[in-house]
Amino acid sequence: MYAVILAGGVGTRLWPRSRQNSPKQFTDIAGSGRTMIQETVARLEGLVSPEDTYVITGSRYAGLCSTQLDGLPEENVLVEPQGRNTAPAIALACAHLQRRNPEEVVAVLPADHLIEDGAGFRKALQQAEQCAREGYLTVLGIEPTKAHTGYGYIQRKDDRLPSAGDLPAFSVSRFLEKPDQATAEQFLTDGGYYWNGGIFVSRVEGLLAEYERQMPELYKGMNRIAAVLGTSELGGVLAEVWPTMPDISIDYGLMEGAERVAVVPMQVGWNDLGSWDALETVVAQDEGGNYPIEGEILQMNSKGNIVAADRRLVALIDVDDLIVIDAGDALLIGKKESIQHVKQVVEALQAADRTELL
Amino acid sequence: MYAVILAGGVGTRLWPRSRQNSPKQFTDIAGSGRTMIQETVARLEGLVSPEDTYVITGSRYAGLCSTQLDGLPEENVLVEPQGRNTAPAIALACAHLQRRNPEEVVAVLPADHLIEDGAGFRKALQQAEQCAREGYLTVLGIEPTKAHTGYGYIQRKDDRLPSAGDLPAFSVSRFLEKPDQATAEQFLTDGGYYWNGGIFVSRVEGLLAEYERQMPELYKGMNRIAAVLGTSELGGVLAEVWPTMPDISIDYGLMEGAERVAVVPMQVGWNDLGSWDALETVVAQDEGGNYPIEGEILQMNSKGNIVAADRRLVALIDVDDLIVIDAGDALLIGKKESIQHVKQVVEALQAADRTELL
């Protein structure tokens, strides 16, 4: 099995730890001791070899990928000329993989998700691999733990697929956009709906066929790139073709309309760390009722605070539900329930041309 | 005129900027660019020469005094063997001054008070000097700006003293301990009450006479020290005498019972920076409604926050009335109204033997 890791994102919602020069996936956001992309690769151990692991990222981050991923061959870091979206990025990976073995299976994974239960994840991935070998474009479906309105959902059909693995797998009935609260609650009540975390497995040729059928222009562009891989013409062709690639996600451009789609449900402590408050479900609460990610908390009448402070002591007096993120030249202090406004902070810094802080 | 600057305090209420190795008075708490003791000395310019300026402090801080006070003669840093209280500390200074010129006037000033209006302060001090030359032990009385329960008060008599300066001066009727709220409000309504900031001026011999009359044991000890000043016996005598000195403040031990006491009222933006929230009245509010002492504030729906953060950017999201003090290895975040509990933080660190943070 090949793996393609999507590592082109910028992750502004985790500012000030996630920076333009070192986004979320290259950062140890949760204090595990490894960066998120390192965790993502480590999680595949035993299933995918380093030689079969590819990373797609921007030119700015190619160096970080090589530095952080010991053992990954240099040529497996695929560089997008500009950040596009997931459909073109994955097509670029497919251009490489179709020359190696288009009958082989590929797992596509975001570089910036947390998964607590690595063993459980590997089992689910193996089940998905099995389904993929049987011809399914197979998505890992995350069992919802609450009526979340921030994710797309996958609805399954009732009957199990007769696949050979240990875990159940189902045909997908449809992909659903981010729901409103009532709909999300209905999904949870009804069951059979999963969060779409963007992790899927397919035969390379199956993906190629869907690109050809659903996104013929993109498919053509991809073939032009594939034809010159490993030659001196690559740079010129990329510069010409890439800007014509549609800025479309793989979900919207390919998944939703794909023909044989399966879902393998999993319950493995998945978390996309979409914002700082997500750490509350990831980091253990200390005896004082706070969440120390890094550093030490000394609290007086303070609870529910999420604190990342390097090796510093943070003394909290009579404050609740704050997020405190210390990142060298910038310190973020915000109310947990309002922390999505970190986006506006980043925008304000952009507007003020404070690139050193972005 | 001589000056004696009291610089032996530890200032735990301004932790984490004020540390055992570098208390409040040796720190630039308000972001003025100079430490508080430097400000205190600078404020006397034109009134007291460096040769006539003395500093009393603990042995631990003698080096800081010399380093921070350029131009102060080394021998004018007087070292208390152990921290006692203000009555013995000032007596130690008197032991030195009586050998120079007991008829001269001395101003006694804490090293860790802020005064906005330096010119106004110098005028008041000159008026106090005048009264002192006429034989009064003269306290500078701070015009109260609110019914504060954290200070001792000085009540004046009605009639002005016929002193020769530009400002009014009055005989003191009595010194009052920290009042309760109702009493403090009554003081404010009645008028003629001032905060006692511990700044006073007297002839050296006048002080000596009051020591002799009211604290004869301490006076005797002081004379034993005075007799060996400048000799090799000083260390031995200090080691013997100092532990017998009573742990009593100058207010309680000498002022309250003194015979001819005057007060010169002043309204000069005095602030003893007794706790972090005091900075609200010292630091200008920015357009966002926050108080940046140091560093830069970027706020979203946040106001009333007091922030000292070195050269960092502090992004505040939906938080009000916080105190944020960044001090290298420690970061304090507390609700303004509860910030007096910083004392408990310091106690907890002491109990845990975390001397590196104290």
Side-chain angles (χ1 to χ4, degrees):
Chain A
M1 177 161 60
Y2 299 120
V4 169
I5 296 171
L6 304 172
V10 176
T12 53
R13 286 178 301 176
L14 293 187
W15 184 92
R17 283 287 172 97
S18 181
R19 300 287 183 105
Q20 273 182 1
N21 283 326
S22 178
K24 183 185 170 193
Q25 60 271 24
F26 302 109
T27 309
D28 176 15
I29 294 287
S32 74
R34 286 198 286 208
T35 69
M36 300 195 77
I37 195 168
Q38 286 174 332
E39 293 279 6
T40 302
V41 169
R43 208 176 283 133
L44 299 172
E45 219 183 294
L47 296 184
V48 186
S49 73
E51 290 70 33
D52 293 335
T53 302
Y54 291 79
V55 176
I56 314 180
T57 192
S59 56
R60 190 169 195 171
Y61 310 132
L64 277 174
C65 290
S66 302
T67 316
Q68 295 197 357
L69 301 175
D70 243 11
L72 188 83
E74 197 82 51
E75 63 271 22
N76 287 18
V77 178
L78 312 181
V79 175
E80 304 170 283
Q82 294 96 37
R84 225 49 191 156
N85 202 327
T86 48
I90 295 167
L92 180 62
C94 285
H96 285 80
L97 295 179
Q98 68 171 310
R99 288 165 53 113
R100 285 193 60 184
N101 182 3
E103 289 173 28
E104 189 48 85
V105 152
V106 58
V108 176
L109 318 103
D112 59 351
H113 291 178
L114 271 188
I115 287 172
E116 272 172 56
D117 175 9
F121 171 74
R122 277 185 292 275
K123 267 195 195 163
L125 198 64
Q126 281 177 296
Q127 175 63 76
E129 180 187 1
Q130 182 61 38
C131 296
R133 294 201 186 283
E134 289 164 15
Y136 287 93
L137 202 168
T138 312
V139 191
L140 292 181
I142 297 140
E143 293 273 8
T145 51
K146 63 174 191 169
H148 208 292
T149 59
Y151 304 130
Y153 282 70
I154 303 158
Q155 184 185 12
R156 67 163 165 84
K157 292 186 177 157
D158 287 341
D159 297 336
R160 279 191 181 206
L161 289 176
S163 76
D166 292 340
L167 297 175
F170 304 88
S171 276
V172 165
S173 162
R174 53 181 175 148
F175 286 84
L176 298 129
E177 305 275 314
K178 294 174 188 177
D180 59 23
Q181 190 62 38
T183 310
E185 276 161 24
Q186 194 60 49
F187 290 171
L188 206 59
T189 311
D190 293 350
Y193 291 85
Y194 307 99
W195 294 338
N196 181 5
I199 309 171
F200 65 90
V201 188
S202 169
R203 261 193 222 281
V204 175
E205 59 192 7
L207 272 181
L208 292 172
E210 287 293 351
Y211 272 119
E212 184 174 16
R213 188 172 66 82
Q214 297 191 68
M215 309 178 79
E217 286 303 312
L218 190 154
Y219 181 71
K220 224 181 282 174
M222 173 175 65
N223 279 331
R224 285 193 58 196
I225 294 166
V228 296
L229 283 179
T231 76
S232 59
E233 289 172 60
L234 178 61
V237 171
L238 268 178
E240 195 187 317
V241 168
W242 199 258
T244 71
M245 293 290 208
D247 193 340
I248 289 180
S249 74
I250 193 82
D251 295 314
Y252 187 75
L254 195 143
M255 293 288 191
E256 294 182 8
E259 274 173 346
R260 295 187 73 202
V261 189
V263 58
V264 173
M266 66 175 185
Q267 201 160 10
V268 293
W270 173 89
N271 198 310
D272 71 343
L273 288 187
S275 56
W276 282 115
D277 55 330
L279 280 160
E280 196 170 56
T281 56
V282 172
V283 179
Q285 205 170 28
D286 68 12
E287 24 179 65
N290 295 291
Y291 302 90
I293 300 169
E294 271 173 3
E296 185 186 351
I297 295 178
L298 176 57
Q299 63 88 20
M300 303 277 153
N301 192 33
S302 298
K303 62 179 190 328
N305 302 286
I306 299 173
V307 177
D310 211 353
R311 283 171 303 273
R312 296 144 67 81
L313 176 92
V314 180
L316 302 173
I317 298 176
D318 205 11
V319 291
D320 291 337
D321 300 320
L322 291 185
I323 288 173
V324 178
I325 309 295
D326 178 7
D329 55 355
L331 172 65
L332 169 68
I333 301 175
K335 203 74 188 159
K336 206 187 284 172
E337 63 191 30
S338 310
I339 207 65
Q340 73 276 13
H341 296 311
V342 81
K343 226 181 130 165
Q344 286 154 250
V345 170
V346 172
E347 284 164 6
L349 290 171
Q350 276 163 344
D353 221 11
R354 299 292 297 275
T355 43
E356 80 280 12
L357 290 167
L358 287 168
Chain B
M1 175 160 61
Y2 299 121
V4 169
I5 296 171
L6 304 172
V10 176
T12 53
R13 286 178 301 175
L14 293 186
W15 183 92
R17 283 287 173 97
S18 181
R19 301 287 182 105
Q20 274 183 0
N21 283 327
S22 178
K24 184 185 170 193
Q25 60 272 24
F26 302 109
T27 309
D28 176 16
I29 293 287
S32 73
R34 287 198 286 208
T35 68
M36 301 195 76
I37 195 168
Q38 286 174 330
E39 292 279 6
T40 302
V41 169
R43 208 175 284 132
L44 298 173
E45 217 183 294
L47 296 184
V48 187
S49 71
E51 290 69 33
D52 293 335
T53 302
Y54 292 79
V55 177
I56 315 180
T57 193
S59 56
R60 189 170 196 170
Y61 310 132
L64 277 174
C65 291
S66 302
T67 316
Q68 296 197 356
L69 301 175
D70 242 11
L72 188 83
E74 197 83 12
E75 64 270 22
N76 286 19
V77 178
L78 312 182
V79 175
E80 305 170 282
Q82 295 97 38
R84 235 16 191 185
N85 202 326
T86 47
I90 295 167
L92 179 62
C94 286
H96 286 80
L97 295 179
Q98 68 171 309
R99 287 166 53 115
R100 286 194 59 184
N101 182 2
E103 289 173 29
E104 189 48 85
V105 153
V106 57
V108 177
L109 317 103
D112 59 352
H113 292 177
L114 272 187
I115 287 172
E116 271 172 56
D117 175 8
F121 171 73
R122 277 186 292 274
K123 267 195 197 165
L125 198 64
Q126 282 178 295
Q127 175 63 75
E129 179 187 1
Q130 182 61 38
C131 296
R133 292 199 187 283
E134 289 164 16
Y136 287 93
L137 203 169
T138 311
V139 190
L140 292 180
I142 297 139
E143 292 274 8
T145 51
K146 63 173 192 170
H148 208 293
T149 59
Y151 303 131
Y153 281 70
I154 303 159
Q155 184 186 12
R156 67 164 166 84
K157 292 187 178 157
D158 287 341
D159 297 334
R160 280 190 180 207
L161 289 176
S163 76
D166 292 339
L167 297 175
F170 304 87
S171 275
V172 165
S173 162
R174 55 181 175 147
F175 286 83
L176 299 129
E177 305 276 313
K178 295 175 187 176
D180 60 24
Q181 191 62 38
T183 310
E185 276 160 23
Q186 195 59 50
F187 289 171
L188 207 59
T189 310
D190 292 350
Y193 291 85
Y194 308 99
W195 294 338
N196 181 5
I199 309 172
F200 65 90
V201 188
S202 169
R203 262 192 221 282
V204 175
E205 59 192 6
L207 272 180
L208 292 171
E210 287 292 351
Y211 273 119
E212 184 174 16
R213 188 172 66 81
Q214 297 190 68
M215 309 178 79
E217 285 303 312
L218 189 154
Y219 181 72
K220 223 181 282 173
M222 172 176 65
N223 279 330
R224 285 192 58 196
I225 294 167
V228 297
L229 283 179
T231 75
S232 59
E233 289 171 58
L234 178 61
V237 171
L238 268 178
E240 195 187 317
V241 168
W242 199 257
T244 71
M245 293 290 207
D247 194 338
I248 289 181
S249 74
I250 193 82
D251 295 313
Y252 187 74
L254 194 143
M255 294 287 191
E256 294 181 9
E259 275 174 346
R260 296 185 73 203
V261 189
V263 59
V264 173
M266 66 176 185
Q267 200 159 10
V268 294
W270 172 90
N271 197 311
D272 72 341
L273 288 188
S275 55
W276 283 115
D277 54 330
L279 279 160
E280 197 169 55
T281 56
V282 172
V283 179
Q285 206 170 28
D286 68 12
E287 23 178 66
N290 294 292
Y291 302 90
I293 300 169
E294 269 174 4
E296 185 187 352
I297 295 177
L298 176 57
Q299 64 88 20
M300 303 278 154
N301 191 34
S302 298
K303 60 179 190 329
N305 302 286
I306 298 174
V307 177
D310 212 353
R311 284 172 303 275
R312 296 144 67 82
L313 176 92
V314 181
L316 301 173
I317 297 176
D318 204 11
V319 292
D320 291 336
D321 300 320
L322 291 185
I323 288 172
V324 177
I325 309 294
D326 178 6
D329 55 356
L331 172 65
L332 169 68
I333 300 174
K335 203 74 189 158
K336 206 187 286 172
E337 64 191 31
S338 310
I339 207 65
Q340 73 276 12
H341 296 311
V342 80
K343 226 181 130 163
Q344 285 154 252
V345 171
V346 172
E347 284 164 6
L349 290 171
Q350 276 163 343
D353 221 10
R354 300 291 297 274
T355 43
E356 80 281 12
L357 289 167
L358 288 169

